[in-house]
Short mmCIF file of all heavy atoms in Angstrom, two decimals:
data_model
loop_
_atom_site.label_atom_id
_atom_site.label_comp_id
_atom_site.label_asym_id
_atom_site.label_seq_id
_atom_site.Cartn_x
_atom_site.Cartn_y
_atom_site.Cartn_z
N GLY A 240 -7.82 -3.56 -11.36
CA GLY A 240 -7.16 -3.24 -12.65
C GLY A 240 -5.67 -3.40 -12.58
O GLY A 240 -5.16 -4.38 -11.99
N ILE A 241 -4.92 -2.37 -13.14
CA ILE A 241 -3.48 -2.51 -13.02
C ILE A 241 -2.97 -2.23 -11.65
O ILE A 241 -1.76 -2.48 -11.43
CB ILE A 241 -2.81 -1.49 -13.94
CG1 ILE A 241 -3.13 -0.04 -13.70
CG2 ILE A 241 -3.18 -1.79 -15.44
CD1 ILE A 241 -2.41 0.97 -14.49
N GLY A 242 -3.75 -1.73 -10.75
CA GLY A 242 -3.36 -1.41 -9.42
C GLY A 242 -2.78 -0.08 -9.08
O GLY A 242 -2.13 0.10 -8.09
N ASP A 243 -3.17 0.90 -9.88
CA ASP A 243 -2.70 2.26 -9.69
C ASP A 243 -3.21 2.84 -8.37
O ASP A 243 -2.55 3.40 -7.60
CB ASP A 243 -2.98 3.22 -10.79
CG ASP A 243 -4.28 3.12 -11.36
OD1 ASP A 243 -5.09 2.15 -11.06
OD2 ASP A 243 -4.74 3.97 -12.17
N ASP A 244 -4.58 2.60 -8.06
CA ASP A 244 -5.19 2.98 -6.80
C ASP A 244 -4.53 2.32 -5.68
O ASP A 244 -4.39 2.95 -4.56
CB ASP A 244 -6.65 2.86 -6.87
CG ASP A 244 -7.40 3.85 -7.76
OD1 ASP A 244 -6.78 4.87 -8.11
OD2 ASP A 244 -8.61 3.68 -8.04
N THR A 245 -4.29 1.00 -5.82
CA THR A 245 -3.75 0.24 -4.79
C THR A 245 -2.37 0.84 -4.33
O THR A 245 -2.14 0.99 -3.13
CB THR A 245 -3.44 -1.23 -5.23
OG1 THR A 245 -4.59 -1.75 -5.87
CG2 THR A 245 -3.14 -2.11 -4.09
N ARG A 246 -1.59 1.24 -5.29
CA ARG A 246 -0.33 1.79 -4.92
C ARG A 246 -0.39 3.12 -4.33
O ARG A 246 0.34 3.52 -3.42
CB ARG A 246 0.58 1.85 -6.22
CG ARG A 246 1.02 0.43 -6.69
CD ARG A 246 1.62 0.52 -8.10
NE ARG A 246 2.19 -0.82 -8.50
CZ ARG A 246 1.40 -1.76 -9.09
NH1 ARG A 246 0.18 -1.57 -9.34
NH2 ARG A 246 2.06 -2.88 -9.47
N ILE A 247 -1.47 3.95 -4.73
CA ILE A 247 -1.74 5.19 -4.09
C ILE A 247 -2.05 5.00 -2.62
O ILE A 247 -1.51 5.76 -1.71
CB ILE A 247 -2.79 5.92 -4.77
CG1 ILE A 247 -2.44 6.48 -6.18
CG2 ILE A 247 -3.32 7.19 -3.95
CD1 ILE A 247 -3.51 7.02 -6.95
N VAL A 248 -2.85 4.00 -2.35
CA VAL A 248 -3.21 3.76 -0.90
C VAL A 248 -2.04 3.31 -0.13
O VAL A 248 -1.76 3.82 1.04
CB VAL A 248 -4.29 2.64 -0.91
CG1 VAL A 248 -4.55 2.18 0.58
CG2 VAL A 248 -5.62 3.15 -1.49
N ILE A 249 -1.18 2.46 -0.57
CA ILE A 249 0.01 1.98 0.09
C ILE A 249 1.01 3.18 0.35
O ILE A 249 1.46 3.29 1.43
CB ILE A 249 0.71 0.85 -0.71
CG1 ILE A 249 -0.17 -0.38 -0.59
CG2 ILE A 249 2.12 0.63 -0.15
CD1 ILE A 249 0.35 -1.53 -1.48
N ASP A 250 1.14 4.03 -0.66
CA ASP A 250 1.94 5.13 -0.50
C ASP A 250 1.42 6.15 0.60
O ASP A 250 2.15 6.75 1.44
CB ASP A 250 2.12 6.05 -1.80
CG ASP A 250 3.03 5.31 -2.77
OD1 ASP A 250 3.73 4.26 -2.45
OD2 ASP A 250 2.96 5.67 -4.02
N TYR A 251 0.03 6.34 0.56
CA TYR A 251 -0.53 7.18 1.55
C TYR A 251 -0.43 6.69 2.93
O TYR A 251 -0.10 7.46 3.89
CB TYR A 251 -2.06 7.27 1.22
CG TYR A 251 -2.75 8.40 2.06
CD1 TYR A 251 -2.82 9.71 1.61
CD2 TYR A 251 -3.56 8.00 3.17
CE1 TYR A 251 -3.51 10.65 2.43
CE2 TYR A 251 -4.27 8.84 3.88
CZ TYR A 251 -4.17 10.20 3.54
OH TYR A 251 -4.92 11.13 4.32
N ILE A 252 -0.62 5.35 3.15
CA ILE A 252 -0.50 4.77 4.48
C ILE A 252 0.91 4.79 5.00
O ILE A 252 1.19 5.05 6.10
CB ILE A 252 -1.07 3.31 4.54
CG1 ILE A 252 -2.53 3.27 4.16
CG2 ILE A 252 -0.74 2.57 5.82
CD1 ILE A 252 -3.08 1.91 4.13
N THR A 253 1.86 4.53 4.08
CA THR A 253 3.30 4.62 4.41
C THR A 253 3.63 5.96 4.89
O THR A 253 4.37 6.18 5.92
CB THR A 253 4.13 4.20 3.08
OG1 THR A 253 3.89 2.94 2.70
CG2 THR A 253 5.66 4.41 3.46
N LYS A 254 3.20 7.01 4.17
CA LYS A 254 3.43 8.43 4.62
C LYS A 254 2.82 8.68 5.99
O LYS A 254 3.47 9.29 6.80
CB LYS A 254 2.86 9.37 3.57
CG LYS A 254 3.10 10.84 3.87
CD LYS A 254 2.63 11.70 2.71
CE LYS A 254 2.85 13.20 2.86
NZ LYS A 254 2.01 13.76 3.98
N TYR A 255 1.58 8.26 6.21
CA TYR A 255 1.09 8.47 7.51
C TYR A 255 1.81 7.82 8.57
O TYR A 255 2.05 8.39 9.71
CB TYR A 255 -0.42 7.83 7.44
CG TYR A 255 -1.11 7.72 8.76
CD1 TYR A 255 -1.88 8.83 9.29
CD2 TYR A 255 -0.95 6.62 9.57
CE1 TYR A 255 -2.56 8.70 10.46
CE2 TYR A 255 -1.58 6.51 10.86
CZ TYR A 255 -2.35 7.60 11.23
OH TYR A 255 -3.02 7.58 12.51
N LEU A 256 2.30 6.53 8.38
CA LEU A 256 2.98 5.80 9.44
C LEU A 256 4.38 6.41 9.67
O LEU A 256 4.86 6.53 10.80
CB LEU A 256 3.18 4.37 9.01
CG LEU A 256 1.81 3.59 8.98
CD1 LEU A 256 2.11 2.06 8.42
CD2 LEU A 256 1.19 3.46 10.30
N VAL A 257 5.04 6.93 8.62
CA VAL A 257 6.34 7.63 8.85
C VAL A 257 6.14 8.88 9.65
O VAL A 257 6.88 9.19 10.56
CB VAL A 257 6.92 7.93 7.47
CG1 VAL A 257 8.13 8.93 7.59
CG2 VAL A 257 7.36 6.73 6.73
N GLU A 258 5.09 9.63 9.36
CA GLU A 258 4.78 10.79 10.13
C GLU A 258 4.42 10.56 11.62
O GLU A 258 4.56 11.42 12.52
CB GLU A 258 3.64 11.62 9.44
CG GLU A 258 4.05 12.24 8.10
CD GLU A 258 2.96 12.97 7.33
OE1 GLU A 258 1.78 12.77 7.82
OE2 GLU A 258 3.20 13.64 6.35
N SER A 259 4.00 9.32 11.76
CA SER A 259 3.63 8.85 13.13
C SER A 259 4.83 8.29 13.92
O SER A 259 4.69 7.94 15.03
CB SER A 259 2.57 7.75 13.09
OG SER A 259 1.38 8.28 12.50
N GLY A 260 5.98 8.25 13.18
CA GLY A 260 7.26 7.91 13.96
C GLY A 260 7.87 6.54 13.47
O GLY A 260 8.88 6.14 14.06
N LEU A 261 7.22 5.87 12.54
CA LEU A 261 7.72 4.54 12.13
C LEU A 261 8.77 4.79 11.02
O LEU A 261 8.61 5.59 10.22
CB LEU A 261 6.56 3.65 11.59
CG LEU A 261 6.78 2.20 11.60
CD1 LEU A 261 6.90 1.58 13.05
CD2 LEU A 261 5.57 1.51 10.94
N PRO A 262 9.90 4.01 11.11
CA PRO A 262 10.91 4.08 9.98
C PRO A 262 10.25 3.74 8.64
O PRO A 262 9.34 2.91 8.62
CB PRO A 262 11.96 2.99 10.36
CG PRO A 262 11.79 2.84 11.83
CD PRO A 262 10.37 3.09 12.17
N GLU A 263 10.74 4.36 7.63
CA GLU A 263 10.01 4.29 6.37
C GLU A 263 10.02 2.81 5.80
O GLU A 263 8.95 2.41 5.35
CB GLU A 263 10.74 5.13 5.23
CG GLU A 263 10.00 5.19 3.94
CD GLU A 263 10.54 6.19 3.01
OE1 GLU A 263 11.47 6.95 3.41
OE2 GLU A 263 10.07 6.24 1.79
N GLU A 264 10.99 2.06 5.95
CA GLU A 264 10.98 0.72 5.47
C GLU A 264 9.99 -0.10 6.21
O GLU A 264 9.30 -0.88 5.53
CB GLU A 264 12.41 0.06 5.65
CG GLU A 264 12.54 -1.35 5.06
CD GLU A 264 13.95 -1.85 5.11
OE1 GLU A 264 14.92 -1.09 5.19
OE2 GLU A 264 14.06 -3.08 4.97
N ASP A 265 9.97 0.07 7.47
CA ASP A 265 8.88 -0.67 8.33
C ASP A 265 7.51 -0.19 7.97
O ASP A 265 6.58 -1.04 7.93
CB ASP A 265 9.17 -0.44 9.82
CG ASP A 265 10.48 -1.10 10.26
OD1 ASP A 265 11.00 -2.00 9.53
OD2 ASP A 265 10.97 -0.66 11.33
N ALA A 266 7.34 1.11 7.76
CA ALA A 266 6.09 1.66 7.50
C ALA A 266 5.55 1.07 6.23
O ALA A 266 4.35 0.72 6.07
CB ALA A 266 6.12 3.13 7.42
N ARG A 267 6.38 0.98 5.20
CA ARG A 267 5.89 0.39 3.94
C ARG A 267 5.51 -1.08 3.99
O ARG A 267 4.56 -1.46 3.39
CB ARG A 267 6.95 0.62 2.77
CG ARG A 267 6.48 0.27 1.44
CD ARG A 267 7.31 0.98 0.31
NE ARG A 267 6.73 0.72 -0.96
CZ ARG A 267 5.70 1.34 -1.52
NH1 ARG A 267 5.18 2.40 -0.91
NH2 ARG A 267 5.29 1.15 -2.75
N GLU A 268 6.18 -1.76 4.79
CA GLU A 268 5.89 -3.26 5.00
C GLU A 268 4.47 -3.33 5.63
O GLU A 268 3.72 -4.17 5.29
CB GLU A 268 6.91 -3.89 5.78
CG GLU A 268 8.28 -4.19 5.02
CD GLU A 268 7.97 -5.04 3.74
OE1 GLU A 268 7.25 -6.07 3.87
OE2 GLU A 268 8.41 -4.58 2.60
N VAL A 269 4.29 -2.57 6.69
CA VAL A 269 2.96 -2.58 7.39
C VAL A 269 1.87 -2.23 6.35
O VAL A 269 0.88 -2.80 6.32
CB VAL A 269 3.00 -1.57 8.57
CG1 VAL A 269 1.54 -1.45 9.18
CG2 VAL A 269 3.93 -2.05 9.63
N ALA A 270 2.13 -1.17 5.57
CA ALA A 270 1.18 -0.70 4.57
C ALA A 270 0.80 -1.86 3.64
O ALA A 270 -0.31 -2.16 3.30
CB ALA A 270 1.63 0.49 3.83
N LYS A 271 1.83 -2.54 3.09
CA LYS A 271 1.64 -3.63 2.18
C LYS A 271 0.90 -4.75 2.93
O LYS A 271 0.05 -5.48 2.16
CB LYS A 271 2.85 -4.07 1.63
CG LYS A 271 3.51 -3.13 0.55
CD LYS A 271 4.70 -3.62 -0.18
CE LYS A 271 5.86 -3.90 0.82
NZ LYS A 271 7.08 -4.45 0.07
N GLN A 272 1.14 -5.01 4.15
CA GLN A 272 0.41 -6.11 4.82
C GLN A 272 -1.06 -5.80 4.92
O GLN A 272 -1.90 -6.70 5.07
CB GLN A 272 1.04 -6.39 6.16
CG GLN A 272 2.46 -7.00 6.07
CD GLN A 272 3.22 -7.00 7.44
OE1 GLN A 272 2.51 -6.79 8.47
NE2 GLN A 272 4.46 -7.29 7.43
N ASN A 273 -1.38 -4.50 5.17
CA ASN A 273 -2.71 -4.05 5.44
C ASN A 273 -3.62 -3.77 4.20
O ASN A 273 -4.74 -3.40 4.39
CB ASN A 273 -2.72 -2.91 6.35
CG ASN A 273 -2.26 -3.24 7.76
OD1 ASN A 273 -2.21 -4.38 8.10
ND2 ASN A 273 -1.96 -2.32 8.60
N VAL A 274 -3.01 -3.88 2.99
CA VAL A 274 -3.76 -3.54 1.80
C VAL A 274 -3.84 -4.81 0.92
O VAL A 274 -2.73 -5.53 0.71
CB VAL A 274 -3.12 -2.42 1.01
CG1 VAL A 274 -3.87 -2.20 -0.27
CG2 VAL A 274 -3.17 -1.20 1.85
N ARG A 275 -4.91 -5.23 0.41
CA ARG A 275 -5.13 -6.22 -0.48
C ARG A 275 -5.94 -5.79 -1.67
O ARG A 275 -6.77 -4.89 -1.63
CB ARG A 275 -5.81 -7.47 0.05
CG ARG A 275 -4.94 -8.29 0.97
CD ARG A 275 -3.75 -8.90 0.32
NE ARG A 275 -2.86 -9.54 1.18
CZ ARG A 275 -1.74 -9.01 1.74
NH1 ARG A 275 -1.47 -7.75 1.41
NH2 ARG A 275 -0.93 -9.64 2.50
N ALA A 276 -5.65 -6.27 -2.95
CA ALA A 276 -6.29 -5.93 -4.13
C ALA A 276 -6.70 -7.09 -4.99
O ALA A 276 -5.93 -8.10 -4.96
CB ALA A 276 -5.32 -4.98 -4.97
N PHE A 277 -7.83 -7.02 -5.58
CA PHE A 277 -8.32 -8.12 -6.35
C PHE A 277 -8.78 -7.71 -7.69
O PHE A 277 -9.35 -6.77 -7.86
CB PHE A 277 -9.47 -8.76 -5.52
CG PHE A 277 -10.19 -9.98 -6.25
CD1 PHE A 277 -9.81 -11.23 -5.95
CD2 PHE A 277 -11.22 -9.73 -7.16
CE1 PHE A 277 -10.39 -12.30 -6.60
CE2 PHE A 277 -11.80 -10.83 -7.87
CZ PHE A 277 -11.36 -12.13 -7.57
N ASP A 278 -8.52 -8.68 -8.68
CA ASP A 278 -9.20 -8.43 -9.90
C ASP A 278 -9.47 -9.83 -10.54
O ASP A 278 -8.94 -10.79 -10.08
CB ASP A 278 -8.36 -7.66 -10.95
CG ASP A 278 -9.19 -6.85 -11.94
OD1 ASP A 278 -9.85 -7.50 -12.77
OD2 ASP A 278 -9.20 -5.67 -11.80
N VAL A 279 -10.34 -9.91 -11.50
CA VAL A 279 -10.84 -11.13 -12.06
C VAL A 279 -9.84 -11.69 -13.08
O VAL A 279 -9.02 -10.95 -13.68
CB VAL A 279 -12.20 -10.99 -12.74
CG1 VAL A 279 -13.19 -10.51 -11.66
CG2 VAL A 279 -12.09 -9.98 -13.91
N VAL A 280 -9.80 -12.99 -13.28
CA VAL A 280 -9.16 -13.61 -14.33
C VAL A 280 -9.74 -13.18 -15.69
O VAL A 280 -10.96 -13.19 -15.90
CB VAL A 280 -9.29 -15.19 -14.21
CG1 VAL A 280 -8.60 -15.83 -15.40
CG2 VAL A 280 -8.60 -15.65 -12.90
N ARG A 281 -8.86 -12.65 -16.58
CA ARG A 281 -9.40 -12.23 -17.81
C ARG A 281 -8.46 -12.44 -18.96
O ARG A 281 -7.24 -12.41 -18.73
CB ARG A 281 -9.81 -10.75 -17.83
CG ARG A 281 -8.66 -9.80 -17.58
CD ARG A 281 -9.06 -8.32 -17.62
NE ARG A 281 -9.52 -7.91 -16.38
CZ ARG A 281 -10.27 -6.83 -16.13
NH1 ARG A 281 -10.63 -6.14 -17.14
NH2 ARG A 281 -10.64 -6.44 -14.93
N ASP A 282 -8.93 -12.64 -20.15
CA ASP A 282 -8.02 -12.73 -21.29
C ASP A 282 -8.41 -11.79 -22.46
O ASP A 282 -7.94 -11.82 -23.50
CB ASP A 282 -7.99 -14.19 -21.84
CG ASP A 282 -9.38 -14.67 -22.10
OD1 ASP A 282 -10.35 -13.91 -22.32
OD2 ASP A 282 -9.55 -15.88 -22.27
#
């Protein structure tokens, strides 16, 4: 859909990686690389 759940997952993974010691900017990039989202073509 609009990707609200997708963004929740990326934020959650980012927080996890920061708490694991990764700088926040790097953590967010890793999170975005590891998450993919799909929706159908629609009009």
Side-chain angles (χ1 to χ4, degrees):
I241 64 173
D243 46 346
D244 285 347
T245 312
R246 291 169 172 87
I247 290 172
V248 172
I249 289 174
D250 289 345
Y251 186 86
I252 295 175
T253 299
K254 182 175 180 289
Y255 170 89
L256 295 174
V257 169
E258 292 175 350
S259 300
L261 203 62
E263 184 170 358
E264 184 175 342
D265 295 340
R267 190 158 182 85
E268 285 304 311
V269 171
K271 288 188 295 183
Q272 290 171 12
N273 289 348
V274 175
R275 286 294 175 268
F277 178 93
D278 211 292
V279 298
V280 176
R281 66 177 85 198
D282 54 18

